């Protein structure tokens, strides 16, 4: 397998211009699956901190970049939704957040906010020994003796140092969510209704929100409206994320 990826075929979440060149860097296997964006693209194309792979490797060898509290040495390490990027020498902290159209964007945050990260529970099962294993959207596994308070589609806040659960946001009607994929990616609102599809079909969810900008289709700014999307496209958040986006 080569180290390059054609720009025209990259996932929609990658923040790259498809027609600037034929190829871009390829992400290694790791968190976030095929939607994970190589760290090199973030450092070079988004933040303009380096001009080349060589410069990125040098910076990473100096422990200049931390992802979710851990120093990173691989410039192809996939970066994805809700990851926390820390640049100690610059005293800069970023949260990876879904932007309009599903492209991943960086939201600058303070040091306290960078001490933990959000994860959506995508799987819950009992493992050998009687403990329960929760799997998050990025593939992280957490084992707990008692997981009765947690359900699939809930969100957890994980401390980056101790890897402990420090907050829990329940998914359900009235929950604050953000769409992370699909036509409404990047929009934030409250769950109005969860539409359960019988059988193996995907559930959908109706979300109420405010129109962010004027357009003939969307209405005037601040106007209440609703949108419907696939349940797996929404993630439960709290008001702190709304503040970050503003």
């Amino acid at each position: 397998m080569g180290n390059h990826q054609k720009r025209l075929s990259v996932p929609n979440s990658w923040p790259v211009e498809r027609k600037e060149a034929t190829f871009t860097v390829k992400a290694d296997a790791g968190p976030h699956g095929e939607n994970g964006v190589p760290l090199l693209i973030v450092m070079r194309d988004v933040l303009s901190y380096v001009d080349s792979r060589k410069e990125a490797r040098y910076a990473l060898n100096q422990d200049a970049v931390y992802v979710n509290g851990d120093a990173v040495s691989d410039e192809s390490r996939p970066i994805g939704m809700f990851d926390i990027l820390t640049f100690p020498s610059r005293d800069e902290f970023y949260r990876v957040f879904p932007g309009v159209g599903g492209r991943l964007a960086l939201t600058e945050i303070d040091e306290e906010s960078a001490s933990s990260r959000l994860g959506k529970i995508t799987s819950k099962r009992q493992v050998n020994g009687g403990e329960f294993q929760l799997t998050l959207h990025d593939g992280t596994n957490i084992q707990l003796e008692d997981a009765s308070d947690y359900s699939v589609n809930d969100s957890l806040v994980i401390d980056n140092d101790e890897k402990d659960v420090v907050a829990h946001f329940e998914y359900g009607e009235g929950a604050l969510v953000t769409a992370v994929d699909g036509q409404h990616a990047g929009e934030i609102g409250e769950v109005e209704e969860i539409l359960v599809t019988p059988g193996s079909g995907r559930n959908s969810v109706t979300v109420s929100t405010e129109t962010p900008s004027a357009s003939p289709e969307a209405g005037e700014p601040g106007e209440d409206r609703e949108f419907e999307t696939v349940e797996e496209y929404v993630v439960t958040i709290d008001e702190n994320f709304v503040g970050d986006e503003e």
Side-chain angles (χ1 to χ4, degrees), residues 75-109:
E75 75 278 4
S76 298
R77 195 268 195 203
I79 303 299
M81 184 176 67
F82 302 121
D83 277 344
I84 301 296
L85 300 182
T86 300
F87 299 87
S89 63
R90 296 173 176 268
D91 198 29
E92 292 180 359
F93 311 89
Y94 296 93
R95 175 183 287 116
V96 182
F97 205 85
V100 176
R103 276 195 172 192
L104 296 178
L106 299 183
T107 300
E108 191 163 5
I109 56 178

Side-chain angles (χ1 to χ4, degrees), residues 82 84 95 112-118 157-160 166:
F82 302 121
I84 301 296
R95 175 183 287 116
E112 181 179 358
S113 298
S115 65
S116 60
R117 65 186 178 90
L118 189 77
V157 177
I158 309 298
D159 180 83
N160 285 334
V166 296

